[in-house]
Amino acid sequence: KSGLDPSGAWHAWGMACLKAGNLSSAREKFNRCLKPPMDLNQLNHGSRLVQDVIQYLESTVKPLLIADDDYFATLRELEATLRTRSLSVEMMCEGKIQHNSYYQECLFYLHSYGTNLAIISFYMRHDCMREALLHLLNKESPSEVFIEGIFIPSYESGKLHMLENLLETIDPGLESWGVYLIATCKYLQRKNYYHILYELQQFMKDHVRAAMTCIRFFTHGAKSYTELGGKQTWLLKIKDHLKVYLQEVSRSSGRKKMAFTFRKKMSAADVSRHINTVDLQMEVTKFLHRCESSGTSQMTDSFLPTLFGNNNMKMDVACKVMLEGKNIEEGFGIAFRVLQDFQLEATEVYSKVAKQLVKQQKYSEIRQLLKCVNESGVAAKNDGDNIILNCLNEFKNIPVEDLDNLIKDMDSDENKIQAYVMCNKLRSAYLVSVRQEKSRAVQLVQHVRQLAESSGDDVVKAICAQWL
């Protein structure tokens, strides 16, 4: 008469029937107020009214296997109790749910009015993981339901291995689970749960991604190569994963198509290249670890470069290796291999090293660097000269004797003249200019005279004028 919503009254009446043990009458009352969800895959446990019903039914179930309750147990429940004692864990949960009217009632309400997540969570709460997984597959629920309803409860309760065993039992190739497993890996990565991620990747036999996670374990949080020296087992694990992957690829190459579609693919050439990178990183790590331990290391980086970064970071590794040894020659071999293997811009790296040496006032080391570059066999004609010119461009205050020695080491007279001019040593520039072929000498001396005039060096200006 008053036009109020009657669903509250029906729900209260249904709950009263439940409490009185009149299950069939409760179903009838709830049918008038409970509705199935619009989307069975929504990430919640359905309406509050349904949750109240399930909560009450679960709290009312007489716990099996407790002596006091056995006196009041019906013959059917007692039979179920005896049966469950002798069955496996997997069958035990089935027995408990199948032979208890209250559990059956829960399932009725969940299947009629609950979401897939609510049904799966119910199975998980009552140790029926297999039923939860089969329901997920049967309803083709999205990955979020798997993560929220099955995966998170499994690892939080320490049952990850049980979950992995069941996934494999239901589908030995894991293909049915591929979408769910990849989504779970992404979830773990977002959460920074890298140890669980690595365990899952190993279970999935996803060796390429497992290797990538090992790279993260190796590099993350390390502040020095001494620390990286203690984490070298991760490098060995990376190699192991990549080698196993190569074996699997070669085994399956004869077949029409490779199985395991959800696992990350990589060409054999790329895998070999990555194995080579790991080998080189091991050499770099041992070398720099030794340098830091012996105290020859002088560089303090705000970040720690490794060969697993981009090309700029790889160039930083090459620089670090050359600069941290006892001398340039000690680390040049490893640095040269880094430059060659990754086809990096060698002159840029050498110039960077030379500038650092100028800052450290190790001028004789620059000459040793030039010697190593020239003896490497792949240096272009002017590489050595360009390294020195790049240095002089930034540093004008190199001591006179060291400066003269560096410029004398240059191959090309033209570059020597340019270097003397850069350092405002016009007399030296004049002396090299006059040794050139006559017509070129005239051009060079005229240029030196103009510079002397504009800088007010009357002595050099007069010498040039007299020669001309």
Side-chain angles (χ1 to χ4, degrees):
K1 284 179 181 177
S2 57
L4 296 172
D5 179 14
S7 60
W10 286 117
H11 186 258
W13 197 351
M15 289 301 287
C17 291
L18 273 189
K19 287 170 184 173
N22 191 347
L23 301 182
S24 57
S25 186
R27 285 190 185 192
E28 185 197 332
K29 306 298 178 283
F30 284 129
N31 188 38
R32 295 172 181 269
C33 63
L34 299 179
K35 291 182 176 61
M38 297 288 284
D39 175 13
L40 289 173
N41 286 320
Q42 59 197 42
L43 285 182
N44 59 44
H45 291 259
S47 72
R48 185 68 253 171
L49 300 181
V50 177
Q51 289 180 52
D52 288 345
V53 172
I54 302 301
Q55 210 171 338
Y56 174 75
L57 285 168
E58 284 185 301
S59 66
T60 313
V61 174
K62 300 179 187 71
L64 302 178
L65 312 179
I66 294 179
D68 290 346
D69 281 352
D70 280 353
Y71 293 114
F72 306 104
T74 63
L75 285 172
R76 183 182 291 179
E77 284 177 337
L78 188 57
E79 184 189 334
T81 307
L82 293 170
R83 188 185 303 186
T84 53
R85 280 179 177 145
S86 62
L87 297 177
S88 67
V89 174
E90 181 187 302
M91 290 303 292
M92 190 170 176
C93 72
E94 285 180 10
K96 192 165 70 173
I97 284 183
Q98 281 170 1
H99 297 285
N100 187 294
S101 53
Y102 281 91
Y103 278 121
Q104 288 302 306
E105 210 62 17
C106 284
L107 287 172
F108 166 77
Y109 286 107
L110 285 168
H111 282 287
S112 303
Y113 311 109
T115 60
N116 284 325
L117 180 59
I119 296 166
I120 284 167
S121 299
F122 175 79
Y123 281 132
M124 291 296 287
R125 278 199 301 280
H126 298 290
D127 294 327
C128 298
M129 194 185 284
R130 182 187 176 83
E131 284 71 19
L133 288 167
L134 292 173
H135 182 85
L136 179 92
L137 273 189
N138 187 31
K139 300 294 180 185
E140 296 180 349
S141 294
S143 305
E144 293 79 9
V145 175
F146 173 76
I147 294 168
E148 195 78 26
I150 298 176
F151 186 79
I152 294 174
S154 293
Y155 80 69
E156 283 182 347
S157 59
K159 292 179 180 170
L160 197 52
H161 285 297
M162 186 197 284
L163 171 62
E164 290 172 351
N165 290 338
L166 275 172
L167 292 175
E168 222 163 16
T169 307
I170 294 168
D171 179 1
L174 299 180
E175 282 302 315
S176 323
W177 308 113
V179 177
Y180 298 115
L181 291 169
I182 293 296
T184 305
C185 288
K186 287 177 181 171
Y187 163 80
L188 293 170
Q189 201 164 357
R190 279 198 307 276
K191 289 283 191 180
N192 288 331
Y193 295 163
Y194 282 95
H195 288 280
I196 302 173
L197 172 66
Y198 182 52
E199 185 180 327
L200 191 61
Q201 286 167 337
Q202 289 180 92
F203 162 71
M204 292 159 65
K205 297 184 174 59
D206 193 348
H207 294 292
V208 175
R209 287 193 180 98
M212 289 157 75
T213 305
C214 291
I215 290 174
R216 202 251 179 203
F217 282 132
F218 175 71
T219 55
H220 186 69
K223 298 281 188 291
S224 69
Y225 261 89
T226 305
E227 280 181 52
L228 286 185
K231 296 167 88 174
Q232 287 185 77
T233 47
W234 288 113
L235 294 176
L236 295 171
K237 285 183 180 178
I238 298 168
K239 273 183 77 171
D240 289 343
H241 284 300
L242 294 176
K243 282 177 177 173
V244 171
Y245 177 78
L246 271 184
Q247 286 166 3
E248 286 183 358
V249 171
S250 61
R251 273 205 303 270
S252 62
S253 57
R255 302 172 202 160
K256 283 187 179 175
K257 72 179 186 67
M258 189 178 173
F260 312 135
T261 49
F262 62 89
R263 296 176 177 90
K264 190 168 177 64
K265 308 277 190 303
M266 193 178 276
S267 71
D270 281 347
V271 175
S272 300
R273 204 161 40 77
H274 287 306
I275 290 174
N276 188 45
T277 300
V278 174
D279 285 334
L280 202 46
Q281 181 62 54
M282 285 180 97
E283 272 195 67
V284 167
T285 306
K286 284 172 185 166
F287 178 77
L288 290 175
H289 181 202
R290 197 172 67 240
C291 293
E292 285 180 7
S293 304
S294 63
T296 57
S297 169
Q298 293 188 351
M299 292 179 77
T300 49
D301 295 299
S302 54
F303 74 102
L304 202 60
T306 69
L307 298 178
F308 300 119
N310 58 20
N311 277 359
N312 285 338
M313 195 187 272
K314 291 179 177 104
M315 287 161 87
D316 289 339
V317 171
C319 291
K320 195 172 175 67
V321 167
M322 279 191 265
L323 289 164
E324 296 216 357
K326 290 199 292 286
N327 52 45
I328 287 293
E329 204 168 356
E330 190 184 21
F332 187 84
I334 296 174
F336 183 71
R337 272 181 55 206
V338 171
L339 297 175
Q340 289 292 294
D341 282 9
F342 300 106
Q343 299 178 329
L344 302 173
E345 192 54 59
T347 314
E348 194 182 325
V349 173
Y350 298 144
S351 296
K352 215 170 170 183
V353 171
K355 285 171 189 175
Q356 279 294 330
L357 292 170
V358 172
K359 279 182 185 171
Q360 296 170 12
Q361 300 185 339
K362 294 182 175 177
Y363 305 109
S364 60
E365 290 285 301
I366 298 175
R367 298 178 78 183
Q368 192 179 41
L369 171 66
L370 296 174
K371 178 172 172 282
C372 289
V373 170
N374 290 329
E375 288 174 357
S376 68
V378 293
K381 188 168 181 258
N382 279 336
D383 276 0
D385 290 7
N386 289 334
I387 292 167
I388 295 171
L389 288 172
N390 282 335
C391 274
L392 301 180
N393 212 10
E394 280 196 34
F395 304 98
K396 309 291 186 224
N397 54 351
I398 298 172
V400 176
E401 190 180 337
D402 294 305
L403 184 64
D404 282 341
N405 285 337
L406 284 175
I407 296 174
K408 278 174 190 167
D409 282 345
M410 294 173 90
D411 292 325
S412 147
D413 282 349
E414 295 269 346
N415 288 335
K416 284 181 183 175
I417 295 164
Q418 190 185 337
Y420 282 130
V421 166
M422 281 166 75
C423 301
N424 215 25
K425 294 172 80 69
L426 297 179
R427 184 183 174 86
S428 301
Y430 161 78
L431 290 171
V432 180
S433 298
V434 297
R435 294 207 301 268
Q436 308 311 304
E437 181 267 322
K438 186 58 64 75
S439 61
R440 181 67 184 135
V442 169
Q443 289 173 345
L444 291 166
V445 173
Q446 281 174 337
H447 179 58
V448 172
R449 183 179 68 172
Q450 283 168 0
L451 291 170
E453 195 172 341
S454 59
S455 66
D457 191 337
D458 294 335
V459 178
V460 173
K461 179 186 166 187
I463 296 170
C464 289
Q466 187 180 353
W467 185 88
L468 288 166

